[in-house]
Amino acid sequence: MIIKIIIILFLLFIFYALGSALYFLVRDKADSTRVVKALTWRIGLSIVLFLLLFVAFAMGFIQPHAIM
């Protein structure tokens, strides 16, 4: 159950970084680098989440559901 909470938290942080990048894109001046930093955070968090999912699946913490 704890792994599912961690996955949901990662997804929330990823959406927050994406939303803040959109906000900075609309509100900041042209010479600001905050959009790039926010998108870099989003990419980094997405990679960490992917690795976490891979490790959790390999260790048996999460199981895939059968599609019927």
Side-chain angles (χ1 to χ4, degrees), residues 36-51:
V36 175
K37 289 179 183 178
L39 291 175
T40 303
W41 270 102
R42 187 192 68 84
I43 292 170
L45 288 171
S46 298
I47 291 171
V48 170
L49 177 61
F50 178 76
L51 292 174

Side-chain angles (χ1 to χ4, degrees), residues 7 9-11 13 23 28-31 34 37 54 68:
I7 291 169
L9 286 175
F10 263 95
L11 287 173
F13 286 134
Y23 177 78
D28 278 356
K29 299 175 186 170
D31 59 343
R34 294 197 296 181
K37 289 179 183 178
F54 184 74
M68 293 184 176

